[in-house]
Amino acid sequence: MAIISDDENNKPEKNRNEDTTAEETNYDMSFEANIRPKFFEDYIGQSALKSTLKISIEAAKKRELPLDHILFYGPPGLGKTTLASVIATEMDTNIKITSAPALERPRDIIGILMSLKAGDVLFIDEIHRLNKISEEILYPAMEDFYLDMTTGKSQSLKSIRIPIPKFTLVGATTKAGSLSSPLRDRFGIIHRLEFYTEEELALVIKRTAKILDIQIDEKGATAIAKRSRGTPRIANRLVKRVRDYAIVKSNGLIDEKTANNALDILQIDKFGLDNTDRCLIKIIAEKYNGGPVGIETLATALGEDVKTIEDVYEPYLVQKGFIQRTPRGRKLTPYACNCFNLKNLDIQQSLF
Ligand code: ADE
């Protein structure tokens, strides 16, 4: 399977709280490509989704037709791109990877659609960010595999249909609600990716450690899994950081103690929260008496943009039961007050 990335911007999402240089980004991309599972049997987690996809793939192969268009949604880092590549491998075809911000001009999307070969998978990340014109070019391409083009000048404008090979579009979004209904309706398979369990993450960590020749024991893997906020991308990043610590501070083996010491230094707590998460909780508690507080106000107070809070920080905090979305804004839950020992406003020392 060939993987062709048409998108210069198609970098892995920026690491949380880290500025990455171009060199690091290239390194991260090859690191991710190295450890990315190629077949379903190597892909850990998302078992319900994998079962449905396997059946759809087998059926498509038997019918000798491309797979239906697929939409994956859910928080970042859960493996949407990886799954799209696995699908292409399992279908024995090629994948082209791009993202909506790289398809700004009509010629960008037309170019990529015309370059496809029969059966190819086209992966469009952040598909909710497609502009209206590009989106409308996609409709007939997805539905009947042709492009609607106009030629000629004013009075002699002519509309022509250009057939394109039958392909499978795999769209990915962190915001399913932002997709227009006409676009959403053209996907035959729509699936949410779930956060990973600690057990699944420990398996991902052990698999990555094996590929990268890192020594890790069971408890070391579990310790990292516990603080990886349900996200394999974070787990894989932490393995590398803990490996560095283990090399410098001990004999290179990642055991429970080494993992916990390294993660403490990285200021990732037992819930997997980092400084920004804790700061977010602290702001709601201290400045807004536990909430509710509007997302815009919260973003300003935190110095982050609304999108980053909504897409990156909030889903895990909601999933863990620390914050609640209400019509009047974000609120801390009694569980968060319990975990962080927040009593009335007497919270400052106890939180940090
Ligand atoms: N690396 C990142 N995500 C993975 C997954 N779901 N399974 C195995 N390895 C992974």
Side-chain angles (χ1 to χ4, degrees):
M1 184 198 59
I3 299 185
I4 308 145
S5 176
D6 268 29
D7 178 4
E8 284 178 8
N9 299 320
N10 181 42
K11 303 164 186 155
E13 272 138 76
K14 203 171 97 173
N15 292 345
R16 292 161 59 84
N17 305 326
E18 285 177 22
D19 280 327
T20 40
T21 63
E23 219 169 86
E24 279 166 339
T25 303
N26 286 340
Y27 175 75
D28 276 356
M29 283 179 79
S30 60
F31 164 72
E32 286 212 12
N34 228 347
I35 59 168
R36 187 170 273 172
K38 305 217 165 20
F39 298 94
F40 279 127
E41 66 172 0
D42 311 319
Y43 189 100
I44 296 153
Q46 312 294 344
S47 49
L49 171 54
K50 271 192 305 191
S51 306
T52 349
L53 287 174
K54 279 183 193 168
I55 291 176
S56 304
I57 288 176
E58 210 177 317
K61 278 182 167 171
K62 281 192 174 156
R63 296 170 66 222
E64 295 184 18
L65 285 172
L67 196 59
D68 258 356
H69 303 303
I70 304 171
L71 179 68
F72 291 137
Y73 67 98
L78 299 188
K80 300 181 203 85
T81 316
T82 305
L83 257 187
S85 318
V86 168
I87 289 169
T89 316
E90 297 277 358
M91 285 293 292
D92 235 340
T93 184
N94 296 323
I95 182 166
K96 287 207 168 190
I97 299 177
T98 186
S99 75
L103 303 174
E104 240 170 48
R105 299 160 303 180
R107 71 163 190 246
D108 298 324
I109 186 125
I110 290 171
I112 201 160
L113 287 167
M114 291 193 58
S115 73
L116 295 173
K117 301 200 173 51
D120 277 0
V121 170
L122 171 61
F123 178 76
I124 305 184
D125 204 4
E126 298 188 79
I127 196 158
H128 62 277
R129 292 176 65 185
L130 267 189
N131 62 46
K132 198 80 207 123
I133 298 174
S134 301
E135 202 178 301
E136 283 173 3
I137 293 170
L138 257 189
Y139 296 160
M142 287 174 77
E143 210 156 343
D144 296 311
F145 304 105
Y146 71 82
L147 296 175
D148 244 340
M149 312 265 256
T150 42
T151 61
K153 287 196 184 134
S154 49
Q155 275 111 353
S156 57
L157 259 186
K158 256 195 357 203
S159 175
I160 50 166
R161 287 179 157 199
I162 301 177
I164 55 168
K166 291 188 173 157
F167 69 103
T168 298
L169 176 65
V170 179
T173 177
T174 48
K175 288 183 168 326
S178 303
L179 229 63
S180 73
S181 330
L183 182 57
R184 197 174 46 241
D185 293 347
R186 284 172 170 82
F187 288 97
I189 302 170
I190 301 184
H191 261 288
R192 183 189 150 81
L193 271 80
E194 303 294 343
F195 282 115
Y196 288 60
T197 63
E198 270 167 35
E199 292 74 25
E200 288 167 345
L201 283 181
L203 291 173
V204 170
I205 289 164
K206 283 188 283 179
R207 178 180 177 274
T208 302
K210 195 168 169 199
I211 295 171
L212 300 182
D213 209 10
I214 295 172
Q215 283 178 280
I216 189 162
D217 69 17
E218 197 63 45
K219 286 190 173 165
T222 304
I224 299 176
K226 281 193 168 133
R227 303 205 212 179
S228 298
R229 47 191 308 135
T231 308
R233 185 182 295 159
I234 294 179
N236 284 334
R237 212 177 69 231
L238 292 181
V239 174
K240 289 196 293 174
R241 298 285 77 82
V242 177
R243 180 241 358 239
D244 295 348
Y245 179 90
I247 290 171
V248 174
K249 298 283 185 188
S250 65
N251 56 1
L253 168 75
I254 302 178
D255 56 16
E256 187 178 19
K257 185 160 171 270
T258 312
N260 283 332
N261 286 343
L263 294 164
D264 286 345
I265 287 174
L266 292 168
Q267 299 189 313
I268 297 164
D269 69 18
K270 61 179 178 181
F271 304 108
L273 308 193
D274 64 13
N275 278 333
T276 312
D277 298 303
R278 287 190 294 269
C279 206
L280 200 145
I281 291 172
K282 182 180 173 182
I283 287 169
I284 304 180
E286 282 181 11
K287 287 200 171 174
Y288 302 98
N289 206 16
V293 50
I295 185 81
E296 278 88 7
T297 312
L298 198 52
T300 310
L302 192 65
E304 280 283 357
D305 59 39
V306 169
K307 186 175 150 23
T308 309
I309 295 183
E310 281 182 339
D311 293 355
V312 180
Y313 295 101
E314 195 175 70
Y316 183 70
L317 294 172
V318 170
Q319 199 251 358
K320 288 296 273 184
F322 292 141
I323 63 173
Q324 233 181 328
R325 288 192 194 107
T326 75
R328 290 176 48 230
R330 276 54 177 176
K331 243 177 93 171
L332 290 181
T333 61
Y335 175 64
C337 296
N338 227 343
C339 289
F340 298 106
N341 201 16
L342 306 169
K343 289 184 201 106
N344 301 323
L345 277 183
D346 183 26
I347 49 175
Q348 216 162 347
Q349 302 88 338
S350 47
L351 235 189
F352 304 98

